[in-house]
Amino acid sequence: IRENIREALTTSQKKVIFMTHSLGGLALLEELVENPLQQKLIAGIIFLQSPFFGSPIADVFFSYPFHLNKWLVPALPFFNVSEETIRYLGVQQRSKFMKDYKTNINDLMANIPILTVGG
């Protein structure tokens, strides 16, 4: 996803507007806070249902007593999802990222018009 973001930013002749959904929003956020010079290439962002602070559903996937991971792992490839992706969406990992990059995220929000829907 991040490679696609970089390609969009480097090939466009104009500032871009990103519309992202879920995991794509997280990838865009990470790309922009880790590479703040790219922010000048963006006219605006619309985040749709991006779980910035993680998804409790992802945590349930690995939690006792449900052990959903044991039952659902065989189906994950059909949804183009891995256990690593589900762990990445967990509340602990996402909350840590948001805390670690709080200043960078605030700078991003101050510099680019952003609309978040259901995030």
Side-chain angles (χ1 to χ4, degrees):
I1 295 172
R2 288 181 68 170
E3 287 177 24
N4 290 339
I5 292 166
R6 287 184 206 119
E7 183 179 343
L9 291 171
T10 58
T11 59
S12 178
Q13 301 298 317
K14 299 178 182 181
K15 286 189 169 191
V16 294
I17 297 174
F18 279 100
M19 179 181 285
T20 66
H21 177 256
S22 193
L23 185 59
L26 301 181
L28 179 62
L29 179 66
E30 288 186 11
E31 182 66 25
L32 295 177
V33 298
E34 292 174 6
N35 301 293
L37 294 177
Q38 294 176 336
Q39 294 177 22
K40 66 182 180 192
L41 304 171
I42 298 177
I45 304 170
I46 301 169
F47 290 107
L48 302 172
Q49 297 178 320
S50 294
F52 297 114
F53 287 91
S55 170
I57 300 298
D59 292 337
V60 168
F61 184 82
F62 295 105
S63 70
Y64 176 82
F66 303 108
H67 298 291
L68 292 178
N69 57 329
K70 293 179 182 176
W71 300 99
L72 297 177
V73 165
L76 294 180
F78 296 102
F79 297 100
N80 197 25
V81 175
S82 67
E83 285 185 73
E84 180 181 339
T85 301
I86 295 171
R87 199 172 309 282
Y88 168 81
L89 292 170
V91 171
Q92 183 177 1
Q93 186 166 345
R94 296 304 318 151
S95 293
K96 181 181 181 333
F97 175 85
M98 296 300 285
K99 180 181 177 189
D100 291 348
Y101 286 94
K102 182 178 181 176
T103 301
N104 304 64
I105 293 167
N106 287 338
D107 291 344
L108 172 72
M109 293 188 315
N111 295 321
I112 299 173
I114 295 174
L115 175 64
T116 302
V117 180

